[in-house]
Each structure stands twice: as C-alpha cells, then as structure tokens.
Amino acid sequence: MIRISKLALGGLLSAVVLAGCSDWLTGSKLTNNPNSPNAAGRNQLLVGVEVGQTIIQTGDLARLFSMWTQQVQGVARQAASYGVYNYDEDAFSPDWTQIYTGGGLIDIRSMDSNAIAAGDSIFAGVGLSLEAMTVGAAADVWGDIPYSQAVSDSFATPALDPQLQVYATIQAKLDTAIRYLQCDTAVVTTCIGPGTSDLWYGGDRAKWLEAAHTLKARYYMHTAEVDPTSYGLALAQTDSGISTPDNDMLSFQSDNPNENNLWFQFMVIQRAGDIAAGAFLVNLLKANSDPRLQAYFAPNGSGDFLGSAPGGGSEDFSTLSDARLDPSFRQPLLTFAENQLIRAEAALHEGQTGVALAAFNAERTSQGVPTKTSISLTDVITEKYIALFQNGLEVWNDYKRTCLPKLTPAKATGIPGRVLYPLSAERNTNPNVPPPDQQPARNANDPNPCP
C-alpha cells in the first residue's frame, strides 16, 4: 500500500511540503526539526495534519469536483480534459497518498497516541475529528478503501474496507471525539488542547465540539440515499453543530508564498488560464441577481460575467474574484451554511417543514440574500450549491444524492460517481485493488445514477 516507509510511520512531516504542485507551509509554523521523526511531537504533527487536510479539501480534488458540478470549468490543457471526465489512473495518486502519509492517517494516529498517553482529551478529540475528515473524504471519492489495516502490520497489502463500514467507523470515532471534547472528567484526565499549534481554531474546544457534530451530520447525509434513517440522525446532530459563521472551520493561508491559498497557487502561479468560471453557476447567479456573483467571480474584459460550459473554449471567460484569488484567502472547510442546509434538507425529509424553513432562512440571512416563505428540496440543494462554492467534494456528494441542481453532464454517461483507484500509489503494489474494468461505476452509498 502506497509504499509506506518506517520514516512515514514515525510522522515524517517533510512529505507534506514536498507532495505535489500545490503544497505549502514552512517556516515558523513547523518547529523542533520536523524532518526528524524522533522530534515530532503532537503539536508539530497537528500542523502537518492540518496542512495535509487542506491539500485534500482544497487542492486537486476540490478543483476536479467543482468542475464536474460546473461551478468552475476547465478551459485549457489538463483541466479541460478533467472537466469532461477524461483522466488516467494516476491523475490523483498524490491525493490518495496524502490520505495516509505525510500529514495523513499515519501522522494522525501518532498524534492521537501521544495525546492519549499524555491524558490530553482536547488534543485527542481534535485528532479523531481530523481522522474522520481525512478518511471520510477518501471514502467519498473511492468508496471501499484501506482503513482497518491501513496503519498495521498489513500496511503493504491492506484489504479494502466496505465504504458503508468506513462511514460507520468514523461515526464511532466522532462519538469518542465528542466525549473527549466535552472534557468529562469521568472519562479523561486533562483538558489542555493544542493551543496556537492548531492553525484553524487556535485550540478552541467549543468550536471543535460544534465541528464534530457537523461532521457527523455530513457523513450521515452521505449514507442517506441507501439508508433514509440517516436523515433523522443528521438532523439531530445539527442541533449542536456549527452555530454561527464565526465558528466556521477555515483553512490557514497567508501572504507567505509557502502558505498561499491553493486556488491562487493553481490559477495564478502554476496554471493561469486553465480554469474559468462555470456557465451553470454564473447564469444561475445572474438570473437571481444574487450578490454572490461578484463575490465569487470577476468580470471579463468586456465588463460582463461569462462562464464556460464543459469542454472549455477560447472566449473571454470570467475567472475567480480578487477576494477568492487573494493569496491569503482562507477556504471554508466546514461551515454554518453547511450545517443549516443539512438541517433544512434533513428536516424536509422528516416532514418538519417549519424547522427546514427556519434553517434555510438562517443560512440565507447569513449570506446576505433574501429569505423565503416556503421552500422545496430544489431550493435547499440549489442554495447549498451556491453557498458551498469551491467545496467541490460536498457539492458533488449532494448532486449524487439528489440529482440537484439539474446539470447537463458533459457526456451522455453522466457525471462520474467515483474516481479510479490510483495505479502507482496503490494498485501496482496491492493485489486487493482491482483493475479499472473490475471497479464499480458507483460507490455503495450512491447506487442510483442521475437521469
């Protein structure tokens, strides 16, 4: 499996800053010689884990799924191919590797072991929440994945755990995280936490506790297509989820070139002109005079907002706004908006229309757009499609579950339901991974293709 070395098992953080064209974070954020596995304590490991999670959540995969759901569009070179679902087995090998090494699951487990040995329940709760985010994203993308044997004596050729089993396991991890973050002295000994080593929340226990509940709601929604009881479970979690936009989980970015927003790195520094605004989202925002049009996109040379359909082209398309392409723009990872719109969708399915409308309007108010007097599922998912701009993985998951908004896929076969396992990072060395022609077209949580 991904050729995990003993150095990686010790928490080698240097892999994080070397793992691809959109990797960053050096300097004062990493201390005590992170290149030495023996010197990396839980504080240094946490920095590496949050870096790794930022790459997973805002890097290659975020751009891919934002293109597939037509929020943005690939208009040149490799991005144009990805936008019409053409990619090879190794296109996302670095992302697979990131799940496990150099700030991934191996370092998370090392960090958690350190925290538990020290009796630091806050730190352990943060670590378990990050494990859920990391492994949950992998299960979303690839379905069945190495997990129970991923950090074990079987790490070279681990079995693939069924996707739905993985979701159940991370729900249990989040239950433990919540207990730890509650600082129940009957369960834990100390409540110190990571403090300023935590680049996202500064070690704020209350914010992490809310985030853990919203993560539980998110992953219940990812199983709702095959298990409708998940709607009620998700609804219950949103009661304690992210309660205000002030508690949004945001990536850490700065003006330091090593810490720049990954979309800026790709669209300005590395691949200028490859990705433009997506026609579907631009036209949707224009049709509703939605002020988020200017917040997300910049006018083209003619002063108009013009998005590209799948396949690209040579027109003068809009790009991202100056705000979104600011090198220090902190990407939303988990938000009040997501929590409220999960609540709205789940409440509609549970027949609680009043709860649904209140949640929907709370989110709309936070976005600075008018409220409504009644809503449908289409309203909720369309609003979430807009509000979660650039959070491509969640928008793609919503589309697969609901077939909303009504996108016209780039090909008659429809928007892909999963991504192929990587060749060099896994399939070449793990006989448990099937070749492409034996892999499923869709993951277990999404058996029904959109019409």
Side-chain angles (χ1 to χ4, degrees), residues 418 420-421 427 431-441:
R418 64 182 299 276
L420 293 172
Y421 293 116
R427 191 166 71 81
N432 294 309
V433 176
D437 62 354
Q438 295 178 28
Q439 293 178 31

Side-chain angles (χ1 to χ4, degrees), residues 21-340:
C21 66
S22 58
D23 311 337
W24 46 262
L25 199 59
T26 59
S28 61
K29 305 302 182 299
L30 298 179
T31 58
N32 297 340
N33 188 11
N35 292 320
S36 169
N38 293 324
R42 60 184 181 274
N43 289 318
Q44 290 73 45
L45 287 167
L46 176 59
V47 173
V49 169
E50 290 185 338
V51 171
Q53 188 58 233
T54 301
I55 293 169
I56 293 166
Q57 297 289 339
T58 75
D60 295 335
L61 293 171
R63 292 190 297 270
L64 176 73
F65 297 126
S66 293
M67 287 189 284
W68 283 5
T69 56
Q70 300 173 31
Q71 292 185 320
V72 297
Q73 198 50 248
V75 295
R77 293 180 287 195
Q78 191 177 55
S81 295
Y82 288 176
V84 294
Y85 324 140
N86 294 330
Y87 68 97
D88 62 36
E89 282 185 90
D90 262 346
F92 303 102
S93 282
D95 302 280
W96 175 276
T97 302
Q98 188 70 67
I99 298 292
Y100 297 98
T101 65
L105 183 60
I106 292 170
D107 284 346
I108 292 171
R109 292 284 177 83
S110 179
M111 180 179 72
D112 276 355
S113 295
N114 185 302
I116 291 169
D120 190 341
S121 67
I122 298 297
F123 218 123
V126 169
L128 289 170
S129 299
L130 288 165
E131 178 169 334
M133 282 189 75
T134 302
V135 176
D140 292 339
V141 175
W142 288 285
D144 300 350
I145 58 168
Y147 187 29
S148 62
Q149 297 179 1
V151 186
S152 71
D153 292 340
S154 301
F155 69 78
T157 57
L160 303 181
D161 292 356
Q163 184 199 40
L164 296 178
Q165 178 182 312
V166 172
Y167 285 137
T169 301
I170 64 175
Q171 289 287 1
K173 296 275 186 180
L174 286 166
D175 287 337
T176 302
I178 288 168
R179 289 198 299 274
Y180 284 162
L181 290 165
Q182 289 171 334
C183 289
D184 183 348
T185 55
V187 178
V188 301
T189 56
T190 63
C191 296
I192 300 171
T196 57
S197 295
D198 173 12
L199 302 179
W200 296 350
Y201 278 151
D204 189 311
R205 179 184 72 85
K207 290 181 179 179
W208 274 109
L209 183 58
E210 288 188 355
H213 283 288
T214 297
L215 282 171
K216 284 187 66 69
R218 171 187 283 185
Y219 292 117
Y220 278 132
M221 295 303 284
H222 291 189
T223 63
E225 185 177 337
V226 293
D227 181 7
T229 64
S230 295
Y231 288 114
L233 295 170
L235 179 60
Q237 292 299 320
T238 61
D239 285 338
S240 302
I242 296 176
S243 59
T244 168
D246 291 339
N247 291 354
D248 285 355
M249 179 185 286
L250 307 176
S251 65
F252 175 85
Q253 323 289 168
S254 81
D255 289 329
N256 183 323
N258 296 306
E259 300 169 356
N260 289 164
N261 166 16
L262 299 189
W263 284 78
F264 164 81
Q265 285 196 30
F266 185 89
M267 294 183 66
V268 176
I269 303 299
Q270 298 161 357
R271 297 287 188 271
D274 281 18
I275 290 179
F280 186 91
L281 180 54
V282 167
N283 294 340
L284 175 64
L285 294 171
K286 289 171 74 172
N288 291 292
S289 300
D290 194 309
R292 289 171 288 191
L293 177 66
Q294 292 85 359
Y296 294 165
F297 301 114
N300 64 10
S302 301
D304 190 16
F305 291 90
L306 180 65
S308 170
S314 57
E315 295 183 64
D316 186 13
F317 296 119
S318 296
T319 187
L320 297 190
S321 67
D322 289 345
R324 291 279 170 158
L325 286 181
D326 188 311
S328 61
F329 179 76
R330 300 185 68 179
Q331 294 284 350
L333 306 177
L334 192 69
T335 62
F336 172 79
E338 181 179 348
N339 190 82
Q340 290 302 108

